[in-house]
Amino acid sequence: MHQDKIQDAIKEVRKVVVGQDRMVNRLLIGLFTNGHILLEGVPGLAKTLTVNTLAKVLHLDFNRIQFTPDLLPADLIGTMIYNQQNGDFEVKKGPIFSNLILADEVNRSPAKVQSALLEAMQEKQVTIGETTFQLDRPFLVLATQNPVDQEGTYPLPEAQVDRFMMKVHIDYPGKADELEVMRRMANMSFSSEVQPILSKEDVFDIRDKINQVQISEPLENYIIELVFATRFPEEYGLKEEAKYIQFGVSPRASINLNLASRAVAFMDGRDYVLPEDIKEIAEDVLNHRIILNYEAEADNVNTRDLIQIILDKIPINKSVTLK
């Protein structure tokens, strides 16, 4: 059973990472639905460690790229080099040619590098010289960014952030989890070795299974209602919230809500989607797609609060009004 293997993989990650089950769950959902993930949290919350550990458990090719202000697109995708022996130019592929890419502190690199990465995410291919190369499958970008230190950073434009399936906010661990973290990491003989559980074939099989998970028409309509409530909040009785929203979510939101909710259902051992599956994943899929105005910033209103209000306000059985 694939669900058993998924649980075994999560248990392996837990041998190293403490208290980040939600982050691991979202990373697996991204892998199983072919969606890239953006992790946001202050330093020291095991973002990089979690991705590193998960890569070992997945038995996939993995590369970590530390984004810095002096990074060039060629450092990412590769370049042409001159071979003096035969007098020809040869392609030297960059670290982007892997199954899992950890783009660490993606907001530390300038726009050209970010664009090269995000183009590879969207097109699943890169062009070096005059030759286009298809990237390995599965191909998943797991990017991290630090929301606190803004000096020397280049924030991702909203249109590019939209290409990430989910933006996952990582919070501080609880007291019990932090105590366990301290005990493990203060032990200098602690081993971070884990066993590979899931192969490429398993990932492709799981994708096929998720594709067969059923989502009813009322729940499809519910997704559309959630999406339209971010675009036309006043029509949904959200007059107070409407003054904070500059732009609602893009059509990628409805696509990814559908995919992610089916992945949640599959990982729970079901072949059908429940309303709770959509609600569980809604914040991570929508939070980076709602663009707030300056008034929201002045009133200390964030997208997560607005999403919760929308979820509370929109009934599941409401019919869709197509515009």
Side-chain angles (χ1 to χ4, degrees):
M1 288 290 290
H2 290 301
Q3 279 89 353
D4 294 337
K5 276 195 169 184
I6 293 172
Q7 291 305 314
D8 289 341
I10 293 172
K11 288 176 184 175
E12 283 294 310
V13 175
R14 284 176 183 159
K15 290 180 180 178
V16 179
V17 181
V18 178
Q20 294 293 2
D21 289 351
R22 179 172 169 271
M23 175 170 33
V24 174
N25 175 270
R26 299 308 190 254
L27 293 175
L28 288 173
I29 288 173
L31 177 69
F32 298 152
T33 57
N34 203 24
H36 309 289
I37 308 295
L38 178 61
L39 303 174
E40 183 174 86
V42 298
L45 297 185
K47 299 185 296 294
T48 303
L49 176 65
T50 302
V51 176
N52 268 311
T53 306
L54 188 62
K56 297 175 185 176
V57 170
L58 292 173
H59 201 55
L60 299 174
D61 293 333
F62 170 72
N63 274 324
R64 175 180 180 268
I65 307 168
Q66 180 65 53
F67 280 61
T68 56
D70 61 346
L71 201 69
L72 298 174
D75 298 327
L76 186 70
I77 65 173
T79 187
M80 303 287 292
I81 60 172
Y82 183 70
N83 188 324
Q84 291 183 331
Q85 291 183 338
N86 55 28
D88 290 331
F89 283 93
E90 297 177 350
V91 172
K92 179 176 174 57
K93 293 182 178 180
I96 198 76
F97 289 90
S98 192
N99 297 125
L100 284 181
I101 302 295
L102 171 57
D104 223 349
E105 295 192 280
V106 67
N107 56 334
R108 291 230 169 260
S109 64
K112 282 186 177 181
V113 179
Q114 293 177 1
S115 296
L117 172 69
L118 293 162
E119 182 182 0
M121 289 165 52
Q122 184 71 16
E123 308 299 334
K124 303 291 194 300
Q125 64 182 31
V126 296
T127 301
I128 305 174
E130 297 180 354
T131 307
T132 299
F133 298 91
Q134 297 294 323
L135 293 172
D136 297 337
R137 303 296 174 95
F139 175 71
L140 184 67
V141 173
L142 309 172
T144 71
Q145 65 177 8
N146 175 4
V148 178
D149 184 11
Q150 296 302 321
E151 187 175 345
T153 63
Y154 304 81
L156 294 169
E158 284 82 359
Q160 294 181 341
V161 174
D162 190 44
R163 295 184 186 179
F164 287 97
M165 180 184 197
M166 289 184 279
K167 179 181 178 182
V168 184
H169 292 276
I170 312 301
D171 294 323
Y172 288 111
K175 290 181 180 179
D177 287 334
E178 185 137 358
L179 178 62
E180 180 62 24
V181 169
M182 181 180 68
R183 286 172 174 169
R184 284 192 191 184
M185 296 308 170
N187 179 4
M188 289 186 284
S189 62
F190 173 73
S191 173
S192 61
E193 291 301 313
V194 292
Q195 299 299 316
I197 303 294
L198 291 169
S199 64
K200 283 186 182 182
E201 292 72 22
D202 291 324
V203 172
F204 292 133
D205 287 344
I206 291 170
R207 287 183 178 180
D208 290 338
K209 296 292 184 184
I210 290 174
N211 210 32
Q212 297 169 22
V213 172
Q214 298 297 310
I215 180 168
S216 65
E217 186 173 346
L219 289 183
E220 288 180 328
N221 291 344
Y222 178 56
I223 289 174
I224 300 301
E225 289 296 310
L226 293 177
V227 166
F228 271 68
T230 69
R231 300 175 189 170
F232 310 102
E234 290 183 346
E235 296 181 12
Y236 292 82
L238 300 166
K239 293 183 179 180
E240 184 67 22
E241 291 72 24
K243 67 181 183 181
Y244 298 125
I245 299 176
Q246 186 173 4
F247 294 105
V249 301
S250 72
R252 285 194 182 108
S254 52
I255 296 168
N256 289 324
L257 268 176
N258 185 306
L259 283 169
S261 61
R262 284 194 281 154
V264 170
F266 175 81
M267 292 171 70
D268 282 346
R270 286 178 280 108
D271 62 355
Y272 56 90
V273 175
L274 295 174
E276 290 74 19
D277 299 328
I278 299 171
K279 290 183 176 182
E280 179 184 333
I281 210 73
E283 178 189 310
D284 299 314
V285 174
L286 300 178
N287 73 72
H288 57 302
R289 295 185 163 94
I290 298 175
I291 301 175
L292 303 181
N293 54 29
Y294 291 110
E295 194 171 349
E297 186 176 350
D299 291 348
N300 200 27
V301 173
N302 60 52
T303 55
R304 285 181 283 178
D305 294 335
L306 290 176
I307 292 167
Q308 190 56 55
I309 292 171
I310 291 171
L311 290 173
D312 293 340
K313 188 81 173 180
I314 306 301
I316 293 170
N317 60 354
K318 191 179 191 310
S319 61
V320 178
T321 303
L322 298 179
K323 294 186 180 290

